[in-house]
Amino acid sequence: MADEDADEADEPAVELGERESVEGVPLARVSSRLTYGIEKSTVRRREGDTEIRTPDGPTPLSDVLDSVEETYFERRQAFEEAVRAVVGSGPVPTE
């Protein structure tokens, strides 16, 4: 029985296909690298060059922050909500 468990562990849980890649990084990855409360200017300095995934394609975070009215993010959720209010949500295009 232990041999059967070992064989199942070697196989991937989900088969990966040959699909087009998605440009940019997920917003959650960027927000996880920050420590909150944080000022918008600090986010811009640290992560402004990072391109995030949006429904309109990859977009530099600094461009998104230009449209965000908040100047301070007390929590991670507040940061993500402010960014999503600007870029929207929906499917992310592939190449």
Side-chain angles (χ1 to χ4, degrees):
M1 190 151 148
D3 291 334
E4 292 174 11
D5 292 338
D7 291 339
E8 289 177 13
D10 291 339
E11 297 177 17
V14 176
E15 299 255 348
L16 300 177
E18 295 295 323
R19 297 218 169 167
E20 295 137 5
S21 63
V22 177
E23 296 295 320
V25 299
L27 177 59
R29 184 176 301 160
V30 173
S31 63
S32 71
R33 295 190 289 227
L34 302 170
T35 304
Y36 300 90
I38 192 167
E39 294 178 342
K40 181 168 70 170
S41 61
T42 305
V43 174
R44 183 185 307 276
R45 189 177 70 249
R46 291 184 187 169
E47 297 290 339
D49 293 338
T50 303
E51 287 193 337
I52 60 171
R53 294 177 183 170
T54 71
D56 295 327
T59 305
L61 183 58
S62 60
D63 291 354
V64 175
L65 291 174
D66 289 342
S67 300
V68 171
E69 293 182 18
E70 291 83 2
T71 58
Y72 182 79
F73 306 105
E74 188 172 324
R75 301 174 321 154
R76 176 180 178 167
Q77 292 82 359
F79 170 70
E80 290 182 359
E81 288 171 4
V83 171
R84 285 195 180 104
V86 172
V87 299
S89 61
V92 176
T94 58
E95 291 182 346

